């Protein structure tokens, strides 16, 4: 596992980069950004400025409209300006239909897509995440996806769009048509990144997409968590993954594998020697599935870095098999077996195997040994009966249910996360810092801030930055209990740090920038995956009296630069930028 350098070493390494970066706060070459500005763009007048900027922008490669709300007339005006932009490549159009009627979205998307096609552009990125547009929204990009503009597409991001089974099928058919046409032209579609979590794709949607994945054979990252996929859909995806030999990341968290799906996926993994991250957490892989996966891991997967089999009803024998399988993987950085059914002896056995490796996550939520082995068989029988019942459900009922869920999703701005059931005993601070979760933080109780203060070594700037990011990672704006717990804990730790005479605030900021992936260090520190919570918590911190105002300019410079590390953060980055600018102007 990568070790973090001391604050002094890190500061020496990056001081030149900090000075250089302060002078470079402009946007990435070829990119025009209105990200997170909260504009209500209804008509031609409301987009006059944007249209003129597009028209005057020579060599436009990317347009960011995230975090605004775009109506049909405004979209058509923007589209008109895009019609001459043949070098256009990247559409960052997530979260841009808030408050719009469902009927407005397809014509808006059609207008933008038609313009891109008319321009003769060749796209590499389409991001329409967090738009909750349902199957109709997929129809709005259907023609674009089938066109020459998408022959070069490398990343397709459709997270949290409420596509449903119907949307999944339309999307799959469009991708297969694009691959067929592009192959005929000698430039086959080679999609590398596919993201479609929280879309209620279920078995039929996943199976349709699996056919497209198998046909392309070019995927490097697949993220499809929380889609209600059971073993038939999982098995179809497993078959498809075998044909994507370059796959590096496979995230199917919070779908229901059971043994059948897990065994099929284990067989598929044998063909994937480039796999680095496997996330089958909360997927009910069960003992037989875990053993099959363990066998695959022990036989191959030479560069595996992360394996998540948490909350899967795995028992001691299967968990031990997994631990034995990974113990010789020299590149493994994280193994998560929490929330299973190991029992006290099983937890000890796994810990003994992994001793000295520092990669095993907390086992504090272990459910204990199962009382009755027959329960598992009963569950499997019940699931098979459920599968048969599902086939008999009237299609109209499915459509009505989807529409109701989509309406609820439109009304709610927050993402509803599936939270695994935890054991009764509360986790300790070390457990939280190993594998943070909102539930663990709340269960630390009223003294959590004091406990965290005692645990974190605030004399070490780097360790303090690490702790800050772990606490901030569980921040939830929509959950006041979690939000308050995060901010209260962060304030306690950082106030103590910044008031400690030996603490070096500059090294803390430097460490933070490295860990966020905004600046490189010679020590080859592995950055964290930046989530909105990190920036939301940081926005709170910079407004506090304990935070040194001289560090604000440094943070502002790096937040102003376009960096892939911040792509998942949407509007939160812009809010942080505005706060930093305001503080700097006031000082």
């Amino acid at each position: 596992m990568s070790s973090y350098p001391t604050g002094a070493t890190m500061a020496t390494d990056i001081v030149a980069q900090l000075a250089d970066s302060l002078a470079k706060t402009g946007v990435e070459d070829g990119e025009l950004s209105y990200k997170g500005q909260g504009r209500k763009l209804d008509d031609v007048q409301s987009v006059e400025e944007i249209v003129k900027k597009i028209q005057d922008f020579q060599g436009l490669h990317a347009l960011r409209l995230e975090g605004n709300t775009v109506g049909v007339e405004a979209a058509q005006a923007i589209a008109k300006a895009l019609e001459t932009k043949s070098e256009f490549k990247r559409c960052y159009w997530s979260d841009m239909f808030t408050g719009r009627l469902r009927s407005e979205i397809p014509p808006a998307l059609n207008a933008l897509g038609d313009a891109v096609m008319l321009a003769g552009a060749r796209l590499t990125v389409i991001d329409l995440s967090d738009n909750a547009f349902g199957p109709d929204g997929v129809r709005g990009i259907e023609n674009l996806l089938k066109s020459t503009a998408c022959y070069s597409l490398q990343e397709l991001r459709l997270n949290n769009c409420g596509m449903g089974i119907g949307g999944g099928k339309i999307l799959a058919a469009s991708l297969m048509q694009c691959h067929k046409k592009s192959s005929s032209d000698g430039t086959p579609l080679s999609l590398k990144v596919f993201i479609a979590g929280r879309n209620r794709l279920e078995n039929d949607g996943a199976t349709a997409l699996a056919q497209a994945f198998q046909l392309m054979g070019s995927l490097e990252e697949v993220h499809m968590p929380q889609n209600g996929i059971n073993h038939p859909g999982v098995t179809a995806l497993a078959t498809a993954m075998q044909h994507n030999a370059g796959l590096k990341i496979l995230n199917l968290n919070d779908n229901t594998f059971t043994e059948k799906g897990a065994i099929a996926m284990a067989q598929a993994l044998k063909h994937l020697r480039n796999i680095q991250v496997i996330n089958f957490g909360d997927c009910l892989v069960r003992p037989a599935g875990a053993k099959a996966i363990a066998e695959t891991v022990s036989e191959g997967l030479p560069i595996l870095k992360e394996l998540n089999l948490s909350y899967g009803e795995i028992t001691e024998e299967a968990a031990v098999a997994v631990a034995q399988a990974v113990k010789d993987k020299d590149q493994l950085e994280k193994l998560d077996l929490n929330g299973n059914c190991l029992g006290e002896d099983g937890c000890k056995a796994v810990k003994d195997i992994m001793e000295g490796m520092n990669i095993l996550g907390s086992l504090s939520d272990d459910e204990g040994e199962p009382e009755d082995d027959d329960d598992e068989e009963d569950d499997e029988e019940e699931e098979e009966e459920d599968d048969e019942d599902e086939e008999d459900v009237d299609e109209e009922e499915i459509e009505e249910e989807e529409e109701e869920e989509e309406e609820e999703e439109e009304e709610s701005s927050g993402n509803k996360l599936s939270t695994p059931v935890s054991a009764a005993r509360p986790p300790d601070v070390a457990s939280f810092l190993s594998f943070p979760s909102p539930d663990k933080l709340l269960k630390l109780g009223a003294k959590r801030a004091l406990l965290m203060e005692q645990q974190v070594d605030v004399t070490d700037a780097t360790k303090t930055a690490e702790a800050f990011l772990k606490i901030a990672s569980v921040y939830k704006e929509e959950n006041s209990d979690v939000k308050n717990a995060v901010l209260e804990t962060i304030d306690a730790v950082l106030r103590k740090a910044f008031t400690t005479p030996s603490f070096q605030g500059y090294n803390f900021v430097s460490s933070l920038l490295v860990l966020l992936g905004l600046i490189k260090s010679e020590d080859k520190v592995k950055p964290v995956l930046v989530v909105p919570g990190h920036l939301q918590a940081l926005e709170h911190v910079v407004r506090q009296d304990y935070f040194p105002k001289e560090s604000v300019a440094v943070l502002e410079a790096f937040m102003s630069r376009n960096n892939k590390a911040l792509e998942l953060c949407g509007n939160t980055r812009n809010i942080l930028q505005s706060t930093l600018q305001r503080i700097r102007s006031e000082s």
Side-chain angles (χ1 to χ4, degrees), residues 489-500:
T489 306
I490 283 173
D491 280 341
V493 172
L494 293 189
R495 188 177 296 280
K496 181 180 178 183
F498 281 108
T499 54
T500 299

Side-chain angles (χ1 to χ4, degrees), residues 340-351:
N340 283 299
C341 305
L342 279 59
E344 193 172 327
D345 291 342
C347 289
K348 184 179 184 305
V350 170
K351 288 177 181 177

Side-chain angles (χ1 to χ4, degrees), residues 88-89 121-125 147-155 178 182 187-192:
F88 191 64
K89 296 177 182 178
R122 292 301 178 102
L123 299 179
T124 57
V125 178
S147 73
T148 56
C150 286
Y151 287 4
S152 51
L153 194 63
Q154 294 183 15
E155 298 183 18
C178 182
S182 59
T187 55
L189 171 65
S190 298
L191 193 68
K192 288 182 170 54

Side-chain angles (χ1 to χ4, degrees), residues 1-72:
M1 198 168 183
S2 301
S3 60
Y4 292 105
T6 63
T9 303
M10 186 180 291
T12 303
D13 290 343
I14 68 171
V15 66
Q17 293 184 58
L18 276 169
D20 180 59
S21 298
L22 281 169
K24 297 177 180 177
T25 57
V27 297
E28 182 181 325
D29 287 346
E31 180 177 292
L32 181 58
S33 178
Y34 294 91
K35 183 176 179 180
Q37 295 187 10
R39 298 192 184 197
K40 194 169 188 295
L41 307 173
D42 295 325
D43 49 29
V44 174
Q45 289 73 27
S46 65
V47 292
E48 282 180 351
E49 175 205 337
I50 296 175
V51 167
K52 189 173 189 317
K53 283 278 180 69
I54 294 172
Q55 289 170 339
D56 295 343
F57 202 124
Q58 298 301 311
L60 181 66
H61 291 169
L63 177 62
R64 289 189 173 274
L65 294 173
E66 309 104 304
N68 299 287
T69 176
V70 184
V72 177

Side-chain angles (χ1 to χ4, degrees), residues 103-116:
S103 58
E104 291 183 82
I105 299 175
L109 289 174
N110 271 316
L112 292 166
D114 289 347
V116 170

Side-chain angles (χ1 to χ4, degrees), residues 258 284 286 313 374-384 386:
T258 67
L284 206 66
R286 291 182 173 156
E313 292 190 359
D374 293 336
D375 289 348
E376 193 176 297
E377 293 175 12
D378 293 342
D379 287 345
E380 185 68 34
E381 287 172 9
E382 284 175 16
E383 184 195 301
E384 288 175 2
D386 288 344

Side-chain angles (χ1 to χ4, degrees), residues 423-436:
R425 62 179 178 276
D428 57 18
V429 175
S431 163
F432 171 82
L433 291 173
S434 295
F435 282 87

Side-chain angles (χ1 to χ4, degrees), residues 379-396:
D379 287 345
E380 185 68 34
E381 287 172 9
E382 284 175 16
E383 184 195 301
E384 288 175 2
E385 288 173 8
D386 288 344
D387 288 343
E388 290 171 7
D389 291 343
E390 282 175 10
E391 293 173 7
D392 297 331
V393 175
D394 189 88
E395 287 185 7
E396 279 186 20

